[in-house]
Every structure is written in C-alpha cells, then in structure tokens.
Amino acid sequence: MSLSKRIKELEDDQLEEFVDIWAERKSKDYVKVERLGQANDKGRDVVGFVTSARHEGEWDLFQCKRKTLGSLLGLGEAMTELGKVFFHHVDGAYTTLPRRYVFVTPRGVEQSLKHLLEHPTKLQEALLANWDKYCRKKITAKKVIELTPEIRATIEAYEFKNVDCLTAPSIAKDAAARPALVQVLKELPGEAPEGHAPDDISDTEFAYLQQLRDVYSAAAGAPFSSFDEILADHRYGEGIKVHRTRFYEACAFRDFHRDNTDEKAVDVFKKDIYHLLFEVYNEAHPSLLDRVNAVMKHTGAHPAGILGRMARSPVKQGTCHHLVTDGKIRWSP
C-alpha cells in the first residue's frame, strides 16, 4: 500500500499526532509545537509558535480534517473552521491571527473549495458573503455569532493567501514528514549516511582522543606529546585514523535518526551498545590497548540496530567513543 493511501487511512487522533510530529520538523523556526485538537480548542488542532510570545506573536495553525473514506473536505466545513478563528480572535482567545492557516486534508478538498483556495481574494469574499450560512449558528452551539463590524474588519484585513491545504500526496513527498511516517506508520527510516572525519580534530573529539593518547602512550612505553605524533607513528597512526572515522560514523548515524525517526530511539540504541560491551569491557585485559581492541572487536561483530534496521560495524564501534565522551566508560584509568 502506498504511503499516500496509508496517510489517508489515519484515524483522527493518529492524524493529529502525525501533524504534530510533522509540524515540529517542518519548520526549524518554531519554538514550540502544541497539539490541541479537543473540545473547546477554539478552532485549533495543532499550532506552531514562531516565538516565545506564543499567541501574542507569530504562529501557524494546522487544522486536521481526516474525513470519512472517499469523502473530501467541503466548502461549508472549511468556511465554518475559518470563521471560528476570526471569531475567537476577536473574542480574545488569541491576540494575533495565525501567520499561516493550513487545512491538513489527506483525502483532498472539493473542487469549489479548491477553486477558492487558488484565488485568495475570492475565498475572503465567500466567507463574508456566506457567514450566515456557514458560521452564524455553527461556530458554537451556545450562541448565534453575528458578523459584527469588528469581525468583518478582521476578515477584510487578513491576507487570505496564507490559507492553504495539504493532501496526502504532498505530505508523503515532504522530507519533514519522515519522522511522522516512522513513528505513526512504522515506516523504516532508511539508511543513515556514512560519516567522514574532518582533517582537523574538533572539540567534540577531545574526550575520547585524549584517553586514546594515554592508551597509546602506555602501549609505546613513552608519552605522546600530541595527536600528530601518534599519527606519525607507524604502529598507532592508522589506529587513530580508524577510531576517528568510527566516531564520525556514529555521529552521522545519531544525527540522521534524531532528524528522521525519534530521539528516544537513538538513546535506546546507545544504551544497547553499552550493554553489548559491558562484560568485555570489565574483563581483565593484558593492557589498556588490548581492552580497547577487545571492545571494538566484540561490539563490531554483534548485532545491534534501531527500529528494526541493523547498524553497521563502524557505527557501533564509534558509539563506544560516544559513551566515553558521555563518561559512561573510560579508555584510560
């Protein structure tokens, strides 16, 4: 079954969860994404706040409309939802109107609504002209909402070019939807890219490399004064290069899965590596270098993965260096 069709079949709660995750990754300028989508949500399912001012600053609104199998979002329901936002804004529920208003409609919209969305000025005119039909008695069951001069002025001042819709095909193609596809639809995240060590050593490497310098110094029987000195040594230079590559392989793996799956899954993977190496790490070894080599050999050869996909050996081995950086294990005393 295609991703587009699977998105169309999401239940209401699943769709809101999907949009919540998707919106959080969709725009890096959101300081917070909040899922409302309950009774008395005042026309808001999922909102993305651009600043800490929240509803007193810029924010985007995602209105989720799952609809029943085979049906499309119609003009009347869309008008009612738009009317809610203008009423609740005037009523004081939120100080500012949304920067963007997005109908998330996996199964699409009716042609009449599609036409208006493509012509923002006509959409604005239609809302004003049909207020009594679609909004007056439908915004709230508690009272009739008349099109007051204040509501009219607010609608007339709003840029309706900021009203849009997203359907299942467009969502499925969006790279920002990958985490939601993984978490809600249980899609596999794909392969993480390979990592490559830069020429210059960065501050993030200092902790494990400093300890490896102590390890190689102990093995050589004399201290190495710098990493360049180790790199120049015919016995240990290649080893340092390999360890740096492994560290950056693990960095690429971590960053890919944090961006495309779930940060918690990355933490679980790291814990799995810790348990995988624990016994070998704590065994008696002839030397510090023998312990590093034994841990690397053991960790690289045994299965460990994330969300059903096995990690490559350099990723698992490099994660050991991440554990050193975290202070969970040490290469040197």
Side-chain angles (χ1 to χ4, degrees):
M1 184 185 298
S2 69
L3 285 178
S4 177
K5 186 171 182 180
R6 293 181 66 191
I7 293 171
K8 290 179 182 179
E9 294 183 351
L10 289 171
E11 297 294 335
D12 291 334
D13 287 347
Q14 289 179 313
L15 179 58
E16 288 178 14
E17 180 187 3
F18 187 98
V19 174
D20 185 5
I21 299 168
W22 170 78
E24 195 165 10
R25 298 299 176 92
K26 178 65 178 174
S27 177
K28 295 297 184 183
D29 61 1
Y30 291 147
V31 298
K32 183 179 178 62
V33 173
E34 190 168 318
R35 178 183 173 191
L36 301 170
Q38 298 177 350
N40 200 34
D41 61 16
K42 295 180 171 59
R44 301 160 298 169
D45 281 343
V46 177
V47 297
F49 294 109
V50 179
T51 73
S52 58
R54 295 166 66 82
H55 278 312
E56 293 180 354
E58 290 189 319
W59 57 289
D60 294 343
L61 189 154
F62 299 90
Q63 190 65 29
C64 303
K65 291 297 176 185
R66 171 180 173 267
K67 308 304 295 175
T68 55
L69 184 61
S71 66
L72 307 174
L73 176 63
L75 178 62
E77 187 173 2
M79 289 292 182
T80 301
E81 292 298 334
L82 284 171
K84 287 179 182 178
V85 172
F86 291 106
F87 163 70
H88 286 298
H89 165 66
V90 170
D91 198 46
Y94 22 88
T95 305
T96 55
L97 285 166
R99 179 183 66 172
R100 295 177 62 226
Y101 187 110
V102 182
F103 288 109
V104 183
T105 60
R107 296 193 174 104
V109 300
E110 291 180 355
Q111 189 60 38
S112 57
L113 175 58
K114 186 175 186 293
H115 173 75
L116 292 177
L117 289 169
E118 292 171 349
H119 299 82
T121 302
K122 292 183 178 180
L123 178 62
Q124 181 184 55
E125 293 170 352
L127 180 59
L128 290 168
N130 294 282
W131 183 273
D132 287 352
K133 181 178 180 181
Y134 296 126
C135 302
R136 186 170 179 268
K137 294 183 179 181
K138 295 182 179 180
I139 288 178
T140 173
K142 296 179 180 179
K143 59 180 179 179
V144 171
I145 307 299
E146 302 290 354
L147 181 59
T148 64
E150 189 175 3
I151 294 176
R152 175 181 287 275
T154 303
I155 294 172
E156 289 175 341
Y158 189 70
E159 293 281 355
F160 273 74
K161 65 182 181 182
N162 298 325
V163 181
D164 201 356
C165 72
L166 281 171
T167 59
S170 57
I171 295 171
K173 293 175 184 176
D174 194 327
R178 175 55 56 182
L181 293 171
V182 172
Q183 293 181 51
V184 180
L185 294 182
K186 308 306 178 187
E187 283 288 303
L188 288 175
E191 286 285 358
E194 292 184 9
H196 302 280
D199 292 337
D200 296 329
I201 292 172
S202 70
D203 292 342
T204 59
E205 299 180 79
F206 183 78
Y208 84 91
L209 282 178
Q210 180 64 51
Q211 293 186 37
L212 283 179
R213 187 171 73 173
D214 294 341
V215 168
Y216 286 124
S217 293
F224 286 105
S225 60
S226 67
F227 294 116
D228 287 339
E229 193 176 334
I230 305 175
L231 288 169
D233 190 285
H234 72 279
R235 298 164 297 176
Y236 308 120
E238 188 62 25
I240 282 291
K241 292 178 183 178
V242 169
H243 284 301
R244 291 192 68 224
T245 297
R246 289 168 175 170
F247 177 82
Y248 280 100
E249 287 272 17
C251 287
F253 180 87
R254 175 200 63 198
D255 295 344
F256 173 82
H257 284 287
R258 281 184 174 171
D259 290 343
N260 293 283
T261 59
D262 182 359
E263 191 167 333
K264 293 179 181 177
V266 178
D267 294 336
V268 169
F269 173 76
K270 188 183 286 188
K271 289 177 183 177
D272 287 348
I273 296 297
Y274 177 73
H275 287 286
L276 183 61
L277 64 80
F278 185 80
E279 280 74 23
V280 173
Y281 173 82
N282 284 292
E283 289 174 354
H285 298 280
S287 69
L288 295 174
L289 183 56
D290 285 320
R291 180 169 68 174
V292 172
N293 291 340
V295 168
M296 289 292 152
K297 182 178 180 179
H298 179 80
T299 307
H302 286 74
I306 188 168
L307 300 175
R309 189 178 291 279
M310 291 298 104
R312 294 180 300 109
S313 292
V315 170
K316 293 179 287 183
Q317 292 163 326
T319 301
C320 299
H321 294 315
H322 286 225
L323 290 168
V324 172
T325 303
D326 294 345
K328 292 289 292 182
I329 62 173
R330 291 186 59 84
W331 295 138
S332 62

